[in-house]
Amino acid sequence: MISKCLFPVAGYGTRFLPATKSMPKEMLPVVNKPLVQYGVEEALEAGLTEIGFVTGRGKRAIADHFDVSYELEHQIAGSTKEQYLSSIREVMAKGSFSFTRQSEMRGLGDAILNGRRLIGDQPFGVVLSDDLCVAEEGVLAQMVKLYKQFRCSIVAVQEVPDDEIHKFGVIAGEQIKDGIFQVEQMVEKPSKEDAPSNLAIIGRYILTPDIFDVIESTPPGKNDEVQLTDALLSQARDGCVLAYKFKGRRFDCGSVAGFVNATNYVYENLYSQE
Ligand code: UTP
């Protein structure tokens, strides 16, 4: 029922400079796999096989990653080294990949609006691949199940400590089921004092396609960027948006400390040298 997933990957990744000067931050490897591949694998696990990227200048490596590399593959064909390509080959066999560009970094809302032509008029997933999620059942798969039940936009949330709340979009609302909230309030990057709760939005969403019109009529907000949070709040006020406290663990790989934690976790728990 939901088959498409959008990956906004136009950001500059300034927190990882100089590593990201000429390389997309989404291609930084967590152990041996680029960040973005973890996100795409999560989308595929949820049955979202039509993957759309909103890219920008300097992001060609992402498109190349999800394409055949003839010289390399020819060179190692038949050798034991071929096994290292198995995970990306599996991803390429399951998914289809489309690309569009965001010409100016005008915020996440604007990036998603740029993806409209790739999505059309159907509900879709959104993954911010700098949030690496590990869970028994993928976070997007959990959210797709919830969508089937409620048929409205859903944001993934987690509890965060007071001193980190200013980094996130924060929701407040009525708990309608264990871990599921009907959103009534949403604030982008509030101060500790202004935060309506400790439930922070992380980089996984299911959005209904009416969000595109809502974004179009959303003026730039915090930092003069078109904020997805503002558009979602309009959607919540006119209809319904749910916040879902997902099961699993999230690493903020957009920050150096989170990236190092993710690397250690993946190396110790998920990486196999086969
Ligand atoms: P971030 O603000 O975390 O990413 O945006 P960034 O700007 O790349 O990182 P820093 O702060 O400079 O280190 C969250 C996600 O939204 C995408 C980013 O690529 C990232 O995946 N994004 C954000 C866009 O695609 N376009 C935008 O205009 C804004």
Side-chain angles (χ1 to χ4, degrees):
M1 187 187 36
I2 307 185
S3 60
K4 296 192 176 182
C5 192
L6 208 56
F7 285 70
V9 293
Y12 295 131
T14 48
R15 283 169 287 174
F16 277 90
L17 285 170
T20 47
K21 189 173 170 222
S22 65
M23 179 177 109
K25 91 168 157 187
E26 297 77 11
M27 290 302 294
L28 291 172
V30 173
V31 187
N32 62 339
K33 212 191 273 184
L35 255 181
V36 67
Q37 190 180 327
Y38 289 91
V40 170
E41 287 176 355
E42 187 185 321
L44 294 174
E45 182 200 334
L48 314 188
T49 55
E50 293 173 64
I51 308 293
F53 293 95
V54 180
T55 70
R57 286 174 292 280
K59 298 281 181 168
R60 222 193 92 181
I62 299 175
D64 288 344
H65 186 68
F66 294 99
D67 193 4
V68 175
S69 170
Y70 281 106
E71 290 86 347
L72 168 74
E73 300 199 23
H74 175 76
Q75 191 71 33
I76 64 173
S79 79
T80 52
K81 290 180 181 161
E82 225 181 340
Q83 64 183 311
Y84 300 121
L85 284 173
S86 63
S87 74
I88 185 63
R89 280 183 171 165
E90 203 177 309
V91 163
M92 285 165 57
K94 283 188 188 158
S96 66
F97 304 91
S98 314
F99 299 83
T100 189
R101 277 196 183 207
Q102 184 187 20
S103 51
E104 253 181 276
M105 282 279 291
R106 269 180 278 168
L108 183 57
D110 180 68
I112 290 190
L113 190 57
N114 268 272
R116 185 176 205 163
R117 258 169 290 164
L118 299 181
I119 298 296
D121 192 25
Q122 48 183 290
F124 60 103
V126 174
V127 170
L128 305 187
S129 49
D130 34 11
D131 276 339
L132 192 157
C133 293
V134 288
E136 217 159 280
E137 180 184 28
V139 175
L140 264 187
Q142 297 172 34
M143 293 171 77
V144 166
K145 273 192 192 155
L146 207 62
Y147 177 81
K148 288 183 181 156
Q149 218 182 323
F150 290 95
R151 312 243 163 194
C152 61
S153 290
I154 306 170
V155 300
V157 292
Q158 72 171 170
E159 287 175 8
V160 301
D162 281 356
D163 59 343
E164 284 186 29
I165 203 86
H166 64 278
K167 299 180 192 161
F168 296 88
V170 180
I171 70 109
E174 186 193 344
Q175 178 152 225
I176 55 172
K177 262 182 150 182
D178 193 24
I180 303 172
F181 301 80
Q182 175 141 8
V183 173
E184 287 160 7
Q185 183 57 277
M186 255 185 197
V187 193
E188 184 60 31
K189 302 189 173 65
S191 66
K192 187 164 69 178
E193 293 73 30
D194 294 337
S197 76
N198 65 346
L199 291 171
I201 303 172
I202 64 123
R204 298 292 182 275
Y205 307 80
I206 303 282
L207 300 177
T208 51
D210 53 309
I211 195 74
F212 294 123
D213 284 341
V214 183
I215 296 174
E216 246 170 2
S217 56
T218 301
K222 197 129 198 170
N223 301 334
D224 211 25
E225 292 185 340
V226 180
Q227 298 290 351
L228 179 61
T229 314
D230 295 340
L232 279 165
L233 180 59
S234 303
Q235 219 187 21
R237 291 195 167 143
D238 293 343
C240 172
V241 172
L242 297 181
Y244 169 59
K245 228 163 106 180
F246 66 95
K247 296 181 183 68
R249 203 166 158 182
R250 159 200 171 260
F251 295 93
D252 172 16
C253 293
S255 75
V256 171
F259 186 87
V260 171
N261 288 340
T263 302
N264 288 332
Y265 181 90
V266 170
Y267 184 68
E268 278 156 27
N269 299 283
L270 303 175
Y271 173 62
S272 108
Q273 279 172 308
E274 285 158 30

